[in-house]
Amino acid sequence: MAVLRTFVGLAATAMLIQLAMAANYTVGGSNGGWDSSTDLKTWVASQNFAVGDNLIFQYTPNHDVLEVTKADYDSCQTSSPIQTFNDGNTVIPLSSPGKRYFICGTLGHCSQGMQIEIDTLATSTPQATSPTPPSASPAPKSSPSPPKSPESAPGSPSSPDGPSTESLGTSPSPSSLSPPPPPSSANRNSFQTCLTLWFGLSLMVLLAL
């Protein structure tokens, strides 16, 4: 029974993590929409779509959404769509990697720019990466210590100013340790993922009781 509870807890945690990492993309962005006045191709080019994300079409009654083949997309052909949506707030899950094609079925709207090609990746790709810190410079070699001054020969007279002194020790050499390299950039963990992991672990503890 304990093994079953643990398995259920792990499955629930995995589902919560996937949901937390999924993103919702409103077509056209916050300053646009599914209409002929928005530069939809530029918006698509600025996004990275991954499996698990959702594509959201928001539009007025004079528009609709057709999912079509590549050939129909290129020719703006609306007669044989794969799927048709006209509810004004269409949510399309991106459940598998690959390319999908969407156009507006209203006469003339596709040729006016209401068409998008969505390329869904298997995993999300960060849009920007932090540069790799340069490697530390090699440590400088220790400078050789100067030789000791020779001792006075036996029986030699001392100088009138006083007895000569021997060189005591060597001059301090510069530190051979180079400054530590800057820390490598840490992976940014999503706050949503951390929160989901916390809920998942709590769920596992409750199931184990």
Side-chain angles (χ1 to χ4, degrees), residues 66-141:
L66 306 183
E67 182 174 4
V68 297
T69 63
K70 168 66 172 170
D72 287 348
Y73 173 85
D74 292 337
S75 61
C76 285
Q77 178 60 250
T78 63
S79 60
S80 55
I82 300 172
Q83 297 184 87
T84 302
F85 307 93
N86 54 13
D87 56 2
N89 189 30
T90 302
V91 179
I92 298 180
L94 302 177
S95 56
S96 60
K99 293 185 177 182
R100 298 173 71 176
Y101 305 92
F102 301 91
I103 64 175
C104 179
T106 303
L107 182 63
H109 287 190
C110 174
S111 59
Q112 294 174 8
M114 291 189 66
Q115 56 175 177
I116 57 174
E117 174 183 330
I118 302 299
D119 189 3
T120 305
L121 304 177
T123 56
S124 58
T125 302
Q127 295 188 1
T129 57
S130 57
T132 304
S135 58
S137 58
K141 296 182 179 179

Side-chain angles (χ1 to χ4, degrees), residues 5 10 51 54 68 78 89 96 104 169 185 197 200:
R5 288 181 177 178
L10 290 173
V51 171
N54 295 310
V68 297
T78 63
N89 189 30
S96 60
C104 179
S185 58
L197 285 173

